[in-house]
Structures are given as C-alpha cells and as structure tokens.
C-alpha cells in the first residue's frame, strides 16, 4: 500500500492519505505508519468510520497491549464494557446529554488542561488513537504541542539543569486544580507515578520534555520551586510556534505519541449538542 504524509505544521503533524485502517494488516504498511509517528508524532486520518471492535483491533496490531487504567475508571464503569475503550463524550450510559452539574461532566472538563494520556500510571501511555463519532458543527477542536521541538529550543544551560530530574504525575493533582474532589477510595486508586522529566524516544533518539497538568512535583525538590519550573516549561512548550490545532470532522482518527506531545480539548459554545469520541491508548512498554 502506497502512503503519503502531508505535513500540517512546520515541526510535526501529518495527514495520511490512501489508507483504510480496518484492513491494514501487512507488516510493511504498519511499519511505515510507525516510522511516520517517529517523524511527525501526530498522524491525522480522514474518513475512518471505525466500529469499536475495529478500533481496538487496529490499536493492538499497531502497537500491542492496550491501557485499561484510565482515570475515569476510578469513578464509574465503562459504558462500552471495555476499559480499554475510553469514552470522550458529553453523554451518559443511555446516550443522553450530561447535565451541567453531573460529576462525570465536571471530571471531563479536565481534558481542557494540557495533558499527556496516562502519565499518572506506570507504565504510562504511548500512542493514543482518538476516533470522532459525532462532533459539533463548530468548535470542539483539539490542540497538540510538540514537546520535542520545545526541548530543542531550550538554552543549553536549561537542558543541563533538567537532565536526570524525575517528576511525580497525578491525575488527582490536575483535577483538583479545577476544584474537582475525589473520595478517599478514589485517591487510593489514583496514587500517581514517577517518570523522567526528559525522555529520549527509543526509535528516533530525539529528546522530549515530559510535563503536563498531571505533573505535580519534581522529586527531591521543594514543592514551590518544582511547580514553578514545571509551569515555566509548560508555558515555553505551548507557545504558538509549537502548537497545532485540529478541527475535527466526523470519522476522523488522530493518533499521537504521548511521549512527544501534550494535548488539550478546546471549549465549544453550544453545550446542548452532542460530542462523542472514543480513545484507545497503548501501554508504553518494550
């Protein structure tokens, strides 16, 4: 199968054409897509009306074992009966719009913070694959930040300072920023994980910042100083030159590398319309 990659941003992101993902099984095409991820970190596929089973099966063919420990799983059971298929929507288990005060809706607002999927787990998330089922006519976009380009742009003395630092990631921390409260049992389930602040991507050998809203503190640093540094790095990484904004269409599939990017949902004006997307994330293991 002949693939083309059309770059959408000066640093990263490409749209892939001439492909039907449910029928991609051959090693050559899968390896070409992996190489595309190494280069672009975010791949956009149009016109991919995947069923849930097709979505899950492709993710396993592409990158192996799937992540099932999502943050929302500590609060409720998955409405699809499979914790590997994350529900990114504003509807309940019956398909009705969530009311403004619904706890699930309040939790979901945290997706508007810059984040990287499953960094609060060990192993964390590697590739996320988000499939658009129903999107509003306008708004509801997703922004991505290239953390490799952001690292490259740092002064040499800052890179030296960051080398070897470890960061604690917690989804309880990021949600509490917005005033969301967890029960004691939920907090026990969501204790967080520790990861390097600078990651070297195994295939490309490029270095990348690994920070986002889940990053709660730098290990062995005083909390105020650590959080100030993390905030400075996020402000640096989300400058316009590092950010791509994706305008969703029905049946889009977007794959991104959580080790090399951050992302966030953008608000949309009419909250009385449906927005349904489903995400599968792979485990960051060898």
């Amino acid at each position: 199968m002949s693939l083309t990659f059309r770059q959408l941003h000066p640093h990263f992101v490409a749209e892939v054409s001439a492909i039907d993902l449910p029928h991609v099984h051959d090693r050559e095409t899968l390896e070409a897509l992996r190489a595309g991820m190494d280069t672009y970190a975010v791949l956009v596929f149009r016109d991919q009306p995947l069923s849930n089973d097709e979505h899950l099966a492709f993710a396993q063919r592409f990158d192996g074992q799937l992540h099932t420990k999502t943050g929302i799983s500590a609060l409720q059971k998955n409405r699809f009966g499979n914790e590997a298929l994350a529900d990114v929507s504003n509807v309940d288990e019956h398909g009705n719009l969530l009311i403004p005060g619904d706890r699930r809706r309040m939790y979901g607002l945290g997706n508007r913070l810059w984040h990287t999927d499953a960094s609060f787990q060990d192993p964390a998330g590697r590739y996320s694959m988000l499939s658009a089922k129903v999107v509003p006519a306008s708004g509801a976009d997703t922004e991505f930040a290239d953390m490799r380009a952001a690292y490259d742009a740092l002064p040499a003395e800052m890179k030296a300072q960051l080398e070897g630092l470890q960061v604690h990631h917690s989804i309880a921390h990021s949600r509490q920023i917005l005033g969301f409260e967890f029960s004691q049992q939920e907090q026990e389930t969501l204790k967080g994980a520790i990861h390097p602040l600078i990651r070297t991507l195994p295939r490309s050998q490029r270095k990348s910042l690994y920070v986002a809203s889940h990053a709660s503190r730098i290990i062995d640093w005083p909390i105020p100083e650590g959080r100030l540094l993390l905030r400075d790095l996020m402000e640096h990484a989300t400058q316009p030159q590092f950010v791509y904004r994706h305008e969703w269409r029905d049946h889009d599939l977007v794959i991104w590398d959580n080790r090399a990017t951050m992302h966030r949902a953008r608000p949309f004006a009419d909250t009385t319309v449906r927005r349904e997307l489903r995400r599968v994330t792979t485990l960051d293991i060898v």
Side-chain angles (χ1 to χ4, degrees), residues 86-107:
D87 183 17
V88 185
S89 72
N90 61 354
V91 300
D92 63 19
E93 65 274 17
H94 304 295
N96 300 316
L97 284 171
L98 296 173
I99 61 175
D102 191 289
R103 193 164 183 253
R104 292 164 294 186
R105 179 181 178 277
M106 302 307 292
Y107 178 89

Side-chain angles (χ1 to χ4, degrees), residues 44-46 129-133 135-137 139-144 245-256 265 275 277:
V44 176
F45 302 83
R46 304 290 191 182
M129 310 177 197
L130 187 58
S131 175
K133 307 302 181 185
V135 295
D141 301 339
T142 300
E143 290 182 333
F144 296 88
R245 187 176 182 121
H246 183 69
E247 298 180 6
W248 289 96
R249 305 176 194 167
D250 287 351
H251 308 309
D252 278 358
L253 179 79
V254 178
I255 305 177
W256 63 88
R275 182 178 188 266
L277 302 95

Side-chain angles (χ1 to χ4, degrees), residues 24-202:
V24 171
H25 293 266
D26 63 288
R27 179 180 298 181
E28 181 181 0
T29 303
L30 290 169
E31 188 55 35
L33 292 174
R34 295 181 191 114
M37 288 297 297
D38 294 339
T39 301
Y40 302 107
V42 180
L43 296 181
V44 176
F45 302 83
R46 304 290 191 182
D47 302 316
Q48 303 291 326
L50 302 172
S51 69
N52 291 346
D53 287 343
E54 288 172 336
H55 192 172
L56 291 160
F58 171 75
Q60 288 178 299
R61 290 197 303 275
F62 186 56
D63 198 45
Q65 193 171 344
L66 306 183
H67 225 300
T68 58
K69 295 182 179 179
T70 60
I72 193 69
S73 64
L75 279 65
Q76 65 182 45
K77 290 184 178 180
N78 185 285
R79 72 178 172 121
F80 305 119
N82 187 336
E83 295 295 343
L85 192 67
D87 183 17
V88 185
S89 72
N90 61 354
V91 300
D92 63 19
E93 65 274 17
H94 304 295
N96 300 316
L97 284 171
L98 296 173
I99 61 175
D102 191 289
R103 193 164 183 253
R104 292 164 294 186
R105 179 181 178 277
M106 302 307 292
Y107 178 89
L109 290 175
N111 288 329
R112 284 163 56 179
L113 298 170
W114 285 108
H115 63 285
T116 180
D117 293 332
S119 68
F120 54 90
Q121 300 285 2
D122 189 11
R126 183 157 53 208
Y127 297 148
S128 285
M129 310 177 197
L130 187 58
S131 175
K133 307 302 181 185
V134 180
V135 295
S138 62
D141 301 339
T142 300
E143 290 182 333
F144 296 88
D146 187 345
M147 306 301 279
R148 306 164 307 172
Y151 173 84
D152 292 343
L154 289 172
E157 58 270 22
M158 175 61 76
K159 292 177 181 177
Q161 180 187 6
L162 302 180
E163 200 65 43
L165 295 180
Q166 300 282 314
V167 178
H168 178 260
H169 292 248
S170 164
I171 198 168
H173 167 75
S174 65
R175 290 307 190 267
Q176 286 164 350
I177 291 172
L178 301 181
F180 187 91
E181 296 297 332
F182 292 90
S183 69
Q184 187 62 42
Q185 180 178 351
E186 289 166 351
Q187 290 191 53
E188 285 297 313
T189 305
L190 300 169
K191 289 184 177 180
I194 295 172
H195 301 290
L197 195 155
I198 304 299
R199 301 193 62 166
T200 301
L201 304 176

